[in-house]
């Protein structure tokens, strides 16, 4: 293995834990004996990343995504002088941009050196380790207790991470059937998270994959999904005595089939946040209230409105917010890409939950699909 390839794999292995925890800044939960391990990992990653970037400085795809990200960074930094910007706001927007951009660049370089398949495999194995760690953790502290963390992540983030493993395994399964086993394991992980947003986004994306690949199979999937969904929503299939009761109740309340207070609290709070955020946007249309200040303005126990568009436009205003959102939405023009479903899953999921920092996977895959376009550079001969 060449030095560049070794450096690439090292950089990716350093980036993966940062993508999982979502923070490059010192954080108490990631500090041991006064040592902020995530920040040290990022410092080493920054050095290896710069070496790789210098070696690939003439790569046009890297130039494309850099030009797409640059306007937001320049304007955001310029706003420091007159915006009321909180520390949490700076951290979440920089986590979003830096982790997403670095991840995309590493994927582009892996394509350039013929190691994209290897990078995908490393990601799958890493996420499988995360699944096993969560499994052991939950077996000890409460397997079906949703309030118990899935090792490093909460249920929503864990569900999203499992979806990444599923879709990457599905891509590789076309060439190596053994990855179908990983698909089943990661699919279980998504449902095990018992998080409505990731599960709904996951099912929608699975339907889109079937539709784009084989329209006849989509009819079967649609009918099957419709029958099961109807049975769950109407109560023909009753999950009230199972760990998945909150998911069934959530969809029943949302569609008007139930008024149970056990599930309506989460939905009602989100409806209230949407209404309040629309009010913020209308009164601060051009400038926003400043990054990280959404919760301060509303005096809310939450720090974000659980919708990436509402969060960005309420905090950054229409102009700066649009510069931020274009890079993570531009992938929709390249629906023929094999990787299209990856950013699509996160874009759908982020309509229901998570803040900007959680959208790092969305930016990473969205930029990669944009950089690759509808080109097929995936090397099926590389089996290392």
């Amino acid at each position: 293995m060449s030095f560049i390839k070794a450096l690439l794999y090292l950089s990716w292995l350093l980036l993966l834990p940062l993508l999982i925890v979502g923070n490059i800044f010192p954080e108490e939960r990631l500090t041991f004996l006064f040592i902020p391990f995530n920040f040290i990992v990022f410092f080493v990653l920054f050095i290896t990343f710069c070496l790789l970037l210098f070696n690939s400085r003439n790569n046009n795809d890297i130039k494309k995504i850099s030009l797409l990200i640059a306007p937001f960074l320049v304007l955001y930094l310029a706003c420091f002088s007159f915006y009321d910007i909180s520390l949490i706001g700076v951290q979440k927007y920089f986590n979003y941009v830096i982790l997403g951009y670095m991840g995309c660049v590493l994927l582009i370089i892996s394509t350039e050196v013929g190691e994209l398949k290897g990078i995908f495999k490393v990601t799958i194995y890493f996420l499988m380790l995360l699944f096993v760690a969560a499994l052991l953790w939950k077996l000890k502290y409460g397997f079906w207790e949703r309030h118990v963390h899935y090792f490093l992540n909460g249920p929503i983030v864990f569900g999203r991470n499992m979806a990444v493993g599923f879709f990457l395994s599905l891509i590789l399964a076309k060439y190596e059937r053994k990855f179908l086993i990983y698909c089943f394991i990661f699919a279980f992980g998504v449902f095990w998270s018992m998080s409505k947003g990731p599960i709904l986004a996951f099912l929608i994306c699975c339907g889109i994959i079937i539709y784009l690949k084989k329209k006849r199979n989509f009819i079967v999937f649609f009918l099957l999904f419709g029958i099961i969904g109807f049975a769950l929503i109407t109560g023909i299939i009753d999950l009230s005595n199972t760990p998945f009761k909150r998911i069934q109740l959530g969809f029943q309340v949302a569609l008007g089939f139930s008024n149970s207070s056990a599930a309506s609290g989460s939905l009602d709070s989100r409806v209230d946040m949407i209404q309040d955020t629309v009010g913020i946007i209308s009164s601060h249309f051009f400038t926003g209230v400043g990054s990280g200040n959404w919760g301060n303005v509303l005096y809310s126990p939450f720090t974000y409105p659980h919708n990436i568009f509402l969060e960005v436009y309420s905090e950054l205003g229409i102009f700066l917010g649009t510069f931020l959102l274009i890079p993570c939405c531009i992938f929709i023009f390249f629906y023929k890409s094999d990787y299209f479903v990856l950013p699509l899953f996160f874009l759908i999921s982020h309509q229901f939950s998570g803040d900007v920092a959680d959208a790092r996977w969305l930016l990473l895959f969205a930029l990669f699909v944009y950089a690759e376009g509808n080109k097929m550079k995936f090397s099926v001969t590389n089996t290392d």
Side-chain angles (χ1 to χ4, degrees):
M1 182 181 289
S2 69
F3 174 73
I4 293 299
K5 290 182 179 181
L7 202 59
L8 171 66
Y9 278 100
L10 173 61
S11 298
W12 189 253
L13 284 171
L14 291 169
L15 178 68
L16 279 175
L18 295 176
L19 286 170
I20 297 300
V21 301
N23 197 358
I24 63 175
F25 298 97
E27 185 179 346
E28 184 177 351
R29 71 183 175 113
L30 303 173
T31 300
F32 182 69
L33 296 178
F34 306 103
I35 301 175
F37 284 100
N38 63 317
F39 184 73
I40 292 175
V41 168
F42 175 71
F43 179 76
V44 178
L45 169 64
F46 182 77
I47 295 173
T48 60
F49 178 81
C50 289
L51 292 173
L52 285 169
L53 195 61
F54 179 78
N55 184 73
S56 301
R57 59 188 180 279
N58 295 322
N59 187 299
N60 289 327
D61 288 337
I62 294 177
K63 292 178 181 178
K64 281 169 58 176
I65 66 165
S66 299
L67 289 174
L68 198 62
I69 287 292
F72 167 74
L73 278 178
V74 171
L75 290 172
Y76 184 67
L77 292 172
C79 289
F80 274 26
S81 58
F82 58 89
Y83 262 154
D84 180 16
I85 296 176
S86 68
L87 178 61
I88 190 174
V90 173
Q91 289 183 351
K92 73 178 181 181
Y93 284 100
F94 272 95
N95 278 318
Y96 164 79
V97 172
I98 292 173
L99 291 175
Y101 174 79
M102 293 178 81
C104 179
V105 169
L106 292 179
L107 288 185
I108 291 173
I109 294 174
S110 69
T111 303
E112 182 182 25
V113 299
E115 291 294 331
L116 183 59
K117 187 176 183 180
I119 290 295
F120 280 177
K121 284 185 176 182
V122 168
T123 307
I124 291 169
Y125 298 147
F126 188 91
L127 291 171
M128 185 55 64
L129 286 175
L130 180 66
F131 174 85
V132 172
L135 189 68
L136 296 174
W137 185 270
K138 296 281 282 184
L139 283 171
K140 182 177 181 180
Y141 296 105
F143 191 81
W144 294 112
E145 299 297 329
R146 190 171 180 267
H147 66 274
V148 175
H149 265 50
Y150 294 72
F151 191 50
L152 290 175
N153 301 128
I156 295 175
V157 176
F158 179 78
R160 292 189 190 129
N161 289 334
M162 293 298 99
V164 173
F166 174 86
F167 291 120
L168 290 181
S169 298
L170 196 62
I171 291 171
L172 292 185
K174 293 188 297 183
Y175 312 108
E176 297 182 47
R177 292 295 179 183
K178 68 178 183 180
F179 284 99
L180 286 174
I181 299 174
Y182 291 98
C183 286
F184 286 110
I185 295 172
F186 286 126
F188 169 77
V190 174
F191 286 96
W192 182 35
S193 72
M194 293 177 280
S195 299
K196 296 183 287 291
I199 291 174
L200 180 60
F202 178 76
L203 291 172
I204 291 173
C205 289
C206 287
I208 290 173
I209 290 173
I210 296 171
Y211 177 78
L212 292 176
K213 300 300 180 182
K214 292 183 179 179
K215 291 184 173 61
R216 287 185 180 179
N217 290 353
F218 175 74
I219 297 174
V220 176
F221 172 84
F222 183 79
L223 289 173
L224 185 63
F225 178 73
I227 292 171
I228 295 175
F230 177 79
L232 288 171
I233 291 170
T234 57
I236 296 173
I237 298 177
D238 186 11
L239 300 180
S240 59
N241 295 319
T242 73
F244 298 97
K245 61 183 179 181
R246 70 177 301 275
I247 298 174
Q248 182 177 28
L249 278 174
F251 288 119
Q252 286 177 337
V253 171
L255 296 174
F257 284 85
S258 173
N259 58 0
S260 170
S261 59
S264 60
S266 173
L267 293 172
D268 289 343
S269 64
R270 277 166 168 72
V271 171
D272 291 340
M273 284 189 284
I274 290 173
Q275 294 174 342
D276 292 339
T277 306
V278 170
I280 291 177
I281 295 173
S282 62
S283 58
H284 299 81
F285 187 75
F286 294 105
T287 62
V289 295
S291 63
N293 287 327
W294 180 90
N296 297 332
V297 171
L298 293 178
Y299 302 100
S300 170
F302 300 99
T303 57
Y304 51 88
H306 293 275
N307 179 289
I308 188 171
F309 291 101
L310 293 177
E311 179 181 8
V312 168
Y313 281 127
S314 63
E315 292 191 346
L316 302 182
I318 187 67
F319 296 119
L320 186 55
T322 299
F323 277 114
L324 177 75
L325 291 171
I326 286 176
C328 69
C329 295
I330 199 169
F331 75 93
I332 61 176
F333 297 105
F334 305 99
Y335 61 89
K336 292 182 179 180
S337 169
D338 269 7
Y339 320 115
F340 173 77
V341 72
L342 285 159
L344 179 64
F345 165 80
F346 283 100
L347 186 62
I348 296 172
S349 180
H350 278 285
Q351 304 315 302
F352 313 110
S353 57
D355 69 347
V356 169
D358 289 331
R360 53 196 177 273
W361 282 110
L362 167 60
L363 182 64
L364 189 162
F365 289 123
L367 289 175
F368 183 61
V369 170
Y370 164 70
E372 292 298 297
N374 290 323
K375 296 180 294 184
M376 295 304 298
K377 289 186 177 181
F378 194 68
S379 173
V380 300
T381 58
N382 176 13
T383 58
D384 294 337

